[in-house]
Amino acid sequence: RREAEREVEALRAQGLDDGEIFDRLLQSGWDEADVRSLLGIAEAVWVVHLPEAGHAFIESVEDAKRRRQEALHRIGELRAQKRSINQEIGELRSASRASQIAARPGVKQQAPVGLDDLEEREALLALENSRDETEALIRAWEQAVEALDAWIGRSY
């Protein structure tokens, strides 16, 4: 127990809040009841995982509603980011297609200056990976909203 308390204090000294500590200890294989005991989290407190933010401790319907609004706001930001990524992918593919057409024999227009094939493929791959990561975050935040909705519903 003392060793566990020292570990918690070391994590707090690193600047982690209790939600981040809760998340880290659970990922290390700790039992949730033990982590709750170490951090002094009452059984009545509902713990929800929030992507990018560790765990949040929900003590009231108002807390849950506030966290839900924050989660919806984050989903909106991520969707805007995904739209931007999709736009960049479209622009890169359009420029690539224009270069291919301009490079055909008999086309008299100058080809637009663009990336070479390798740079273009690497840029597309990076954007597609970023889009996939963003989509995964959106799904994770949507799951958090569903969990918060369920908790709010049970509270009425």
mmCIF file of all heavy atoms in Angstrom, residues 62-102:
data_model
loop_
_atom_site.group_PDB
_atom_site.id
_atom_site.type_symbol
_atom_site.label_atom_id
_atom_site.label_comp_id
_atom_site.label_asym_id
_atom_site.label_seq_id
_atom_site.Cartn_x
_atom_site.Cartn_y
_atom_site.Cartn_z
ATOM 1 N N GLU A 62 -25.162 17.503 -13.259
ATOM 2 C CA GLU A 62 -24.601 18.734 -13.836
ATOM 3 C C GLU A 62 -23.188 18.493 -14.362
ATOM 4 O O GLU A 62 -22.829 18.990 -15.435
ATOM 5 C CB GLU A 62 -24.591 19.875 -12.805
ATOM 6 C CG GLU A 62 -25.956 20.387 -12.438
ATOM 7 C CD GLU A 62 -26.713 19.459 -11.477
ATOM 8 O OE1 GLU A 62 -26.063 18.755 -10.665
ATOM 9 O OE2 GLU A 62 -27.947 19.416 -11.572
ATOM 10 N N ASP A 63 -22.388 17.725 -13.606
ATOM 11 C CA ASP A 63 -21.045 17.357 -14.078
ATOM 12 C C ASP A 63 -21.134 16.586 -15.388
ATOM 13 O O ASP A 63 -20.377 16.844 -16.327
ATOM 14 C CB ASP A 63 -20.322 16.460 -13.057
ATOM 15 C CG ASP A 63 -19.753 17.197 -11.877
ATOM 16 O OD1 ASP A 63 -19.673 18.438 -11.930
ATOM 17 O OD2 ASP A 63 -19.373 16.517 -10.905
ATOM 18 N N ALA A 64 -22.045 15.623 -15.422
ATOM 19 C CA ALA A 64 -22.195 14.794 -16.615
ATOM 20 C C ALA A 64 -22.625 15.643 -17.809
ATOM 21 O O ALA A 64 -22.100 15.481 -18.917
ATOM 22 C CB ALA A 64 -23.197 13.665 -16.364
ATOM 23 N N LYS A 65 -23.562 16.548 -17.594
ATOM 24 C CA LYS A 65 -24.027 17.412 -18.689
ATOM 25 C C LYS A 65 -22.909 18.323 -19.183
ATOM 26 O O LYS A 65 -22.760 18.543 -20.386
ATOM 27 C CB LYS A 65 -25.225 18.234 -18.245
ATOM 28 C CG LYS A 65 -26.489 17.407 -18.119
ATOM 29 C CD LYS A 65 -27.659 18.267 -17.666
ATOM 30 C CE LYS A 65 -28.943 17.469 -17.594
ATOM 31 N NZ LYS A 65 -30.076 18.290 -17.136
ATOM 32 N N ARG A 66 -22.120 18.862 -18.247
ATOM 33 C CA ARG A 66 -21.000 19.737 -18.632
ATOM 34 C C ARG A 66 -19.974 18.953 -19.441
ATOM 35 O O ARG A 66 -19.511 19.405 -20.493
ATOM 36 C CB ARG A 66 -20.354 20.350 -17.393
ATOM 37 C CG ARG A 66 -19.214 21.314 -17.688
ATOM 38 C CD ARG A 66 -18.610 21.895 -16.415
ATOM 39 N NE ARG A 66 -18.215 20.893 -15.437
ATOM 40 C CZ ARG A 66 -17.089 20.165 -15.516
ATOM 41 N NH1 ARG A 66 -16.266 20.322 -16.540
ATOM 42 N NH2 ARG A 66 -16.785 19.292 -14.579
ATOM 43 N N ARG A 67 -19.631 17.764 -18.962
ATOM 44 C CA ARG A 67 -18.664 16.924 -19.690
ATOM 45 C C ARG A 67 -19.211 16.530 -21.057
ATOM 46 O O ARG A 67 -18.469 16.459 -22.026
ATOM 47 C CB ARG A 67 -18.316 15.674 -18.881
ATOM 48 C CG ARG A 67 -17.535 15.940 -17.637
ATOM 49 C CD ARG A 67 -16.137 16.398 -17.969
ATOM 50 N NE ARG A 67 -15.371 16.529 -16.747
ATOM 51 C CZ ARG A 67 -14.065 16.486 -16.703
ATOM 52 N NH1 ARG A 67 -13.358 16.345 -17.796
ATOM 53 N NH2 ARG A 67 -13.447 16.618 -15.555
ATOM 54 N N ARG A 68 -20.511 16.284 -21.129
ATOM 55 C CA ARG A 68 -21.140 15.920 -22.400
ATOM 56 C C ARG A 68 -21.008 17.076 -23.399
ATOM 57 O O ARG A 68 -20.672 16.868 -24.556
ATOM 58 C CB ARG A 68 -22.611 15.579 -22.169
ATOM 59 C CG ARG A 68 -23.339 15.133 -23.414
ATOM 60 C CD ARG A 68 -24.821 14.862 -23.125
ATOM 61 N NE ARG A 68 -25.480 14.333 -24.283
ATOM 62 C CZ ARG A 68 -25.920 15.078 -25.301
ATOM 63 N NH1 ARG A 68 -25.740 16.391 -25.291
ATOM 64 N NH2 ARG A 68 -26.497 14.508 -26.337
ATOM 65 N N GLN A 69 -21.270 18.304 -22.933
ATOM 66 C CA GLN A 69 -21.123 19.477 -23.808
ATOM 67 C C GLN A 69 -19.680 19.633 -24.275
ATOM 68 O O GLN A 69 -19.428 19.942 -25.443
ATOM 69 C CB GLN A 69 -21.607 20.741 -23.101
ATOM 70 C CG GLN A 69 -23.107 20.853 -23.006
ATOM 71 C CD GLN A 69 -23.779 20.742 -24.359
ATOM 72 O OE1 GLN A 69 -24.480 19.771 -24.603
ATOM 73 N NE2 GLN A 69 -23.578 21.681 -25.226
ATOM 74 N N GLU A 70 -18.736 19.428 -23.371
ATOM 75 C CA GLU A 70 -17.319 19.510 -23.743
ATOM 76 C C GLU A 70 -16.979 18.445 -24.789
ATOM 77 O O GLU A 70 -16.237 18.714 -25.743
ATOM 78 C CB GLU A 70 -16.435 19.334 -22.505
ATOM 79 C CG GLU A 70 -16.512 20.484 -21.528
ATOM 80 C CD GLU A 70 -15.831 20.187 -20.191
ATOM 81 O OE1 GLU A 70 -15.294 19.065 -20.001
ATOM 82 O OE2 GLU A 70 -15.834 21.077 -19.323
ATOM 83 N N ALA A 71 -17.517 17.246 -24.606
ATOM 84 C CA ALA A 71 -17.254 16.156 -25.555
ATOM 85 C C ALA A 71 -17.856 16.482 -26.923
ATOM 86 O O ALA A 71 -17.211 16.266 -27.957
ATOM 87 C CB ALA A 71 -17.812 14.834 -25.025
ATOM 88 N N LEU A 72 -19.070 17.009 -26.938
ATOM 89 C CA LEU A 72 -19.698 17.383 -28.210
ATOM 90 C C LEU A 72 -18.908 18.489 -28.908
ATOM 91 O O LEU A 72 -18.759 18.474 -30.137
ATOM 92 C CB LEU A 72 -21.147 17.811 -27.985
ATOM 93 C CG LEU A 72 -22.110 16.696 -27.591
ATOM 94 C CD1 LEU A 72 -23.470 17.280 -27.214
ATOM 95 C CD2 LEU A 72 -22.236 15.660 -28.694
ATOM 96 N N HIS A 73 -18.393 19.423 -28.123
ATOM 97 C CA HIS A 73 -17.560 20.494 -28.696
ATOM 98 C C HIS A 73 -16.304 19.895 -29.332
ATOM 99 O O HIS A 73 -15.919 20.271 -30.446
ATOM 100 C CB HIS A 73 -17.201 21.512 -27.612
ATOM 101 C CG HIS A 73 -16.330 22.614 -28.109
ATOM 102 N ND1 HIS A 73 -16.795 23.635 -28.899
ATOM 103 C CD2 HIS A 73 -14.998 22.839 -27.934
ATOM 104 C CE1 HIS A 73 -15.795 24.447 -29.195
ATOM 105 N NE2 HIS A 73 -14.694 23.987 -28.620
ATOM 106 N N ARG A 74 -15.678 18.959 -28.638
ATOM 107 C CA ARG A 74 -14.463 18.319 -29.167
ATOM 108 C C ARG A 74 -14.779 17.537 -30.431
ATOM 109 O O ARG A 74 -13.998 17.550 -31.385
ATOM 110 C CB ARG A 74 -13.833 17.409 -28.098
ATOM 111 C CG ARG A 74 -12.552 16.761 -28.543
ATOM 112 C CD ARG A 74 -11.466 17.787 -28.813
ATOM 113 N NE ARG A 74 -10.257 17.140 -29.259
ATOM 114 C CZ ARG A 74 -9.501 17.543 -30.261
ATOM 115 N NH1 ARG A 74 -9.792 18.658 -30.912
ATOM 116 N NH2 ARG A 74 -8.429 16.874 -30.620
ATOM 117 N N ILE A 75 -15.934 16.858 -30.465
ATOM 118 C CA ILE A 75 -16.338 16.135 -31.672
ATOM 119 C C ILE A 75 -16.474 17.108 -32.841
ATOM 120 O O ILE A 75 -16.029 16.830 -33.949
ATOM 121 C CB ILE A 75 -17.646 15.351 -31.439
ATOM 122 C CG1 ILE A 75 -17.396 14.172 -30.493
ATOM 123 C CG2 ILE A 75 -18.241 14.862 -32.755
ATOM 124 C CD1 ILE A 75 -18.657 13.494 -29.998
ATOM 125 N N GLY A 76 -17.063 18.275 -32.586
ATOM 126 C CA GLY A 76 -17.194 19.293 -33.625
ATOM 127 C C GLY A 76 -15.837 19.749 -34.148
ATOM 128 O O GLY A 76 -15.646 19.906 -35.364
ATOM 129 N N GLU A 77 -14.890 19.962 -33.231
ATOM 130 C CA GLU A 77 -13.534 20.354 -33.651
ATOM 131 C C GLU A 77 -12.897 19.270 -34.509
ATOM 132 O O GLU A 77 -12.257 19.570 -35.528
ATOM 133 C CB GLU A 77 -12.659 20.597 -32.426
ATOM 134 C CG GLU A 77 -13.017 21.816 -31.618
ATOM 135 C CD GLU A 77 -12.200 21.924 -30.332
ATOM 136 O OE1 GLU A 77 -11.591 20.938 -29.883
ATOM 137 O OE2 GLU A 77 -12.190 23.034 -29.769
ATOM 138 N N LEU A 78 -13.051 18.022 -34.087
ATOM 139 C CA LEU A 78 -12.448 16.911 -34.834
ATOM 140 C C LEU A 78 -13.089 16.744 -36.205
ATOM 141 O O LEU A 78 -12.399 16.439 -37.178
ATOM 142 C CB LEU A 78 -12.541 15.613 -34.030
ATOM 143 C CG LEU A 78 -11.641 15.546 -32.798
ATOM 144 C CD1 LEU A 78 -12.054 14.390 -31.892
ATOM 145 C CD2 LEU A 78 -10.178 15.421 -33.216
ATOM 146 N N ARG A 79 -14.394 16.949 -36.289
ATOM 147 C CA ARG A 79 -15.059 16.861 -37.595
ATOM 148 C C ARG A 79 -14.575 17.963 -38.535
ATOM 149 O O ARG A 79 -14.391 17.731 -39.726
ATOM 150 C CB ARG A 79 -16.571 16.903 -37.418
ATOM 151 C CG ARG A 79 -17.111 15.595 -36.869
ATOM 152 C CD ARG A 79 -18.606 15.594 -36.747
ATOM 153 N NE ARG A 79 -19.054 14.289 -36.299
ATOM 154 C CZ ARG A 79 -20.159 14.096 -35.621
ATOM 155 N NH1 ARG A 79 -20.954 15.120 -35.318
ATOM 156 N NH2 ARG A 79 -20.495 12.884 -35.243
ATOM 157 N N ALA A 80 -14.354 19.158 -38.001
ATOM 158 C CA ALA A 80 -13.812 20.256 -38.814
ATOM 159 C C ALA A 80 -12.405 19.905 -39.280
ATOM 160 O O ALA A 80 -12.032 20.162 -40.434
ATOM 161 C CB ALA A 80 -13.809 21.552 -38.014
ATOM 162 N N GLN A 81 -11.623 19.298 -38.382
ATOM 163 C CA GLN A 81 -10.266 18.875 -38.746
ATOM 164 C C GLN A 81 -10.320 17.821 -39.851
ATOM 165 O O GLN A 81 -9.535 17.874 -40.801
ATOM 166 C CB GLN A 81 -9.576 18.311 -37.502
ATOM 167 C CG GLN A 81 -8.161 17.847 -37.723
ATOM 168 C CD GLN A 81 -7.535 17.331 -36.419
ATOM 169 O OE1 GLN A 81 -7.950 17.697 -35.326
ATOM 170 N NE2 GLN A 81 -6.552 16.480 -36.557
ATOM 171 N N LYS A 82 -11.260 16.900 -39.751
ATOM 172 C CA LYS A 82 -11.398 15.851 -40.768
ATOM 173 C C LYS A 82 -11.793 16.464 -42.116
ATOM 174 O O LYS A 82 -11.258 16.073 -43.162
ATOM 175 C CB LYS A 82 -12.437 14.826 -40.324
ATOM 176 C CG LYS A 82 -12.614 13.691 -41.301
ATOM 177 C CD LYS A 82 -13.657 12.712 -40.807
ATOM 178 C CE LYS A 82 -14.062 11.770 -41.911
ATOM 179 N NZ LYS A 82 -15.195 10.935 -41.532
ATOM 180 N N ARG A 83 -12.706 17.437 -42.104
ATOM 181 C CA ARG A 83 -13.083 18.108 -43.354
ATOM 182 C C ARG A 83 -11.870 18.787 -43.991
ATOM 183 O O ARG A 83 -11.665 18.720 -45.210
ATOM 184 C CB ARG A 83 -14.187 19.135 -43.105
ATOM 185 C CG ARG A 83 -15.564 18.536 -42.973
ATOM 186 C CD ARG A 83 -16.659 19.602 -42.978
ATOM 187 N NE ARG A 83 -16.564 20.540 -41.873
ATOM 188 C CZ ARG A 83 -17.052 20.339 -40.663
ATOM 189 N NH1 ARG A 83 -17.681 19.221 -40.389
ATOM 190 N NH2 ARG A 83 -16.929 21.249 -39.718
ATOM 191 N N SER A 84 -11.056 19.423 -43.171
ATOM 192 C CA SER A 84 -9.857 20.088 -43.667
ATOM 193 C C SER A 84 -8.891 19.069 -44.287
ATOM 194 O O SER A 84 -8.313 19.321 -45.353
ATOM 195 C CB SER A 84 -9.184 20.842 -42.521
ATOM 196 O OG SER A 84 -7.969 21.392 -42.933
ATOM 197 N N ILE A 85 -8.726 17.953 -43.611
ATOM 198 C CA ILE A 85 -7.841 16.901 -44.136
ATOM 199 C C ILE A 85 -8.378 16.382 -45.460
ATOM 200 O O ILE A 85 -7.618 16.210 -46.427
ATOM 201 C CB ILE A 85 -7.687 15.757 -43.109
ATOM 202 C CG1 ILE A 85 -6.922 16.232 -41.883
ATOM 203 C CG2 ILE A 85 -7.004 14.545 -43.747
ATOM 204 C CD1 ILE A 85 -6.976 15.277 -40.701
ATOM 205 N N ASN A 86 -9.690 16.136 -45.526
ATOM 206 C CA ASN A 86 -10.294 15.653 -46.770
ATOM 207 C C ASN A 86 -10.099 16.663 -47.898
ATOM 208 O O ASN A 86 -9.843 16.282 -49.045
ATOM 209 C CB ASN A 86 -11.777 15.347 -46.573
ATOM 210 C CG ASN A 86 -12.013 14.049 -45.854
ATOM 211 O OD1 ASN A 86 -11.186 13.142 -45.889
ATOM 212 N ND2 ASN A 86 -13.142 13.950 -45.177
ATOM 213 N N GLN A 87 -10.207 17.941 -47.570
ATOM 214 C CA GLN A 87 -9.999 18.979 -48.573
ATOM 215 C C GLN A 87 -8.555 18.961 -49.075
ATOM 216 O O GLN A 87 -8.303 19.052 -50.276
ATOM 217 C CB GLN A 87 -10.343 20.349 -47.998
ATOM 218 C CG GLN A 87 -10.213 21.468 -49.004
ATOM 219 C CD GLN A 87 -10.624 22.813 -48.419
ATOM 220 O OE1 GLN A 87 -11.110 22.898 -47.295
ATOM 221 N NE2 GLN A 87 -10.418 23.862 -49.186
ATOM 222 N N GLU A 88 -7.612 18.832 -48.149
ATOM 223 C CA GLU A 88 -6.207 18.764 -48.550
ATOM 224 C C GLU A 88 -5.948 17.550 -49.433
ATOM 225 O O GLU A 88 -5.211 17.638 -50.430
ATOM 226 C CB GLU A 88 -5.304 18.701 -47.316
ATOM 227 C CG GLU A 88 -5.206 19.993 -46.551
ATOM 228 C CD GLU A 88 -4.276 19.872 -45.366
ATOM 229 O OE1 GLU A 88 -3.106 19.509 -45.576
ATOM 230 O OE2 GLU A 88 -4.732 20.145 -44.238
ATOM 231 N N ILE A 89 -6.532 16.413 -49.093
ATOM 232 C CA ILE A 89 -6.364 15.206 -49.904
ATOM 233 C C ILE A 89 -6.931 15.439 -51.298
ATOM 234 O O ILE A 89 -6.293 15.112 -52.301
ATOM 235 C CB ILE A 89 -7.042 13.986 -49.227
ATOM 236 C CG1 ILE A 89 -6.247 13.565 -47.992
ATOM 237 C CG2 ILE A 89 -7.173 12.814 -50.204
ATOM 238 C CD1 ILE A 89 -6.934 12.507 -47.130
ATOM 239 N N GLY A 90 -8.121 16.041 -51.356
ATOM 240 C CA GLY A 90 -8.737 16.325 -52.655
ATOM 241 C C GLY A 90 -7.899 17.268 -53.500
ATOM 242 O O GLY A 90 -7.724 17.051 -54.710
ATOM 243 N N GLU A 91 -7.362 18.310 -52.870
ATOM 244 C CA GLU A 91 -6.529 19.265 -53.605
ATOM 245 C C GLU A 91 -5.256 18.606 -54.118
ATOM 246 O O GLU A 91 -4.827 18.855 -55.241
ATOM 247 C CB GLU A 91 -6.196 20.462 -52.717
ATOM 248 C CG GLU A 91 -7.386 21.347 -52.439
ATOM 249 C CD GLU A 91 -7.127 22.400 -51.380
ATOM 250 O OE1 GLU A 91 -6.004 22.442 -50.815
ATOM 251 O OE2 GLU A 91 -8.047 23.193 -51.103
ATOM 252 N N LEU A 92 -4.659 17.773 -53.295
ATOM 253 C CA LEU A 92 -3.432 17.083 -53.693
ATOM 254 C C LEU A 92 -3.706 16.123 -54.843
ATOM 255 O O LEU A 92 -2.951 16.072 -55.814
ATOM 256 C CB LEU A 92 -2.831 16.332 -52.496
ATOM 257 C CG LEU A 92 -1.463 15.701 -52.678
ATOM 258 C CD1 LEU A 92 -0.433 16.737 -53.105
ATOM 259 C CD2 LEU A 92 -1.020 15.038 -51.395
ATOM 260 N N ARG A 93 -4.814 15.398 -54.760
ATOM 261 C CA ARG A 93 -5.165 14.466 -55.847
ATOM 262 C C ARG A 93 -5.520 15.219 -57.123
ATOM 263 O O ARG A 93 -5.181 14.780 -58.220
ATOM 264 C CB ARG A 93 -6.310 13.569 -55.411
ATOM 265 C CG ARG A 93 -5.861 12.514 -54.424
ATOM 266 C CD ARG A 93 -6.959 11.568 -54.066
ATOM 267 N NE ARG A 93 -6.447 10.510 -53.194
ATOM 268 C CZ ARG A 93 -7.163 9.848 -52.328
ATOM 269 N NH1 ARG A 93 -8.461 10.098 -52.222
ATOM 270 N NH2 ARG A 93 -6.625 8.918 -51.579
ATOM 271 N N SER A 94 -6.207 16.373 -57.004
ATOM 272 C CA SER A 94 -6.545 17.179 -58.187
ATOM 273 C C SER A 94 -5.284 17.710 -58.851
ATOM 274 O O SER A 94 -5.168 17.686 -60.078
ATOM 275 C CB SER A 94 -7.448 18.352 -57.796
ATOM 276 O OG SER A 94 -8.691 17.892 -57.376
ATOM 277 N N ALA A 95 -4.352 18.183 -58.055
ATOM 278 C CA ALA A 95 -3.097 18.692 -58.606
ATOM 279 C C ALA A 95 -2.332 17.565 -59.290
ATOM 280 O O ALA A 95 -1.738 17.760 -60.352
ATOM 281 C CB ALA A 95 -2.252 19.327 -57.513
ATOM 282 N N SER A 96 -2.371 16.385 -58.693
ATOM 283 C CA SER A 96 -1.692 15.231 -59.279
ATOM 284 C C SER A 96 -2.325 14.864 -60.611
ATOM 285 O O SER A 96 -1.637 14.603 -61.594
ATOM 286 C CB SER A 96 -1.771 14.040 -58.315
ATOM 287 O OG SER A 96 -1.301 12.876 -58.941
ATOM 288 N N ARG A 97 -3.643 14.858 -60.652
ATOM 289 C CA ARG A 97 -4.358 14.516 -61.887
ATOM 290 C C ARG A 97 -4.075 15.558 -62.963
ATOM 291 O O ARG A 97 -3.852 15.203 -64.121
ATOM 292 C CB ARG A 97 -5.865 14.433 -61.595
ATOM 293 C CG ARG A 97 -6.681 14.042 -62.769
ATOM 294 C CD ARG A 97 -6.472 12.574 -63.119
ATOM 295 N NE ARG A 97 -7.288 12.252 -64.268
ATOM 296 C CZ ARG A 97 -6.855 11.576 -65.305
ATOM 297 N NH1 ARG A 97 -5.641 11.089 -65.338
ATOM 298 N NH2 ARG A 97 -7.649 11.348 -66.323
ATOM 299 N N ALA A 98 -4.043 16.820 -62.584
ATOM 300 C CA ALA A 98 -3.737 17.884 -63.547
ATOM 301 C C ALA A 98 -2.327 17.711 -64.099
ATOM 302 O O ALA A 98 -2.088 17.902 -65.300
ATOM 303 C CB ALA A 98 -3.893 19.252 -62.889
ATOM 304 N N SER A 99 -1.398 17.308 -63.236
ATOM 305 C CA SER A 99 -0.019 17.075 -63.697
ATOM 306 C C SER A 99 0.038 15.917 -64.689
ATOM 307 O O SER A 99 0.761 15.979 -65.676
ATOM 308 C CB SER A 99 0.894 16.756 -62.506
ATOM 309 O OG SER A 99 1.055 17.866 -61.686
ATOM 310 N N GLN A 100 -0.716 14.870 -64.404
ATOM 311 C CA GLN A 100 -0.731 13.712 -65.301
ATOM 312 C C GLN A 100 -1.296 14.074 -66.664
ATOM 313 O O GLN A 100 -0.766 13.668 -67.698
ATOM 314 C CB GLN A 100 -1.557 12.575 -64.687
ATOM 315 C CG GLN A 100 -0.930 11.941 -63.473
ATOM 316 C CD GLN A 100 -1.878 10.978 -62.769
ATOM 317 O OE1 GLN A 100 -3.034 10.851 -63.124
ATOM 318 N NE2 GLN A 100 -1.355 10.321 -61.740
ATOM 319 N N ILE A 101 -2.374 14.853 -66.667
ATOM 320 C CA ILE A 101 -2.990 15.262 -67.934
ATOM 321 C C ILE A 101 -2.040 16.167 -68.702
ATOM 322 O O ILE A 101 -1.836 16.000 -69.906
ATOM 323 C CB ILE A 101 -4.338 15.961 -67.689
ATOM 324 C CG1 ILE A 101 -5.347 14.933 -67.169
ATOM 325 C CG2 ILE A 101 -4.853 16.646 -68.946
ATOM 326 C CD1 ILE A 101 -6.640 15.542 -66.652
ATOM 327 N N ALA A 102 -1.429 17.098 -68.025
ATOM 328 C CA ALA A 102 -0.529 18.044 -68.680
ATOM 329 C C ALA A 102 0.724 17.360 -69.210
ATOM 330 O O ALA A 102 1.337 17.834 -70.159
ATOM 331 C CB ALA A 102 -0.153 19.156 -67.715
#
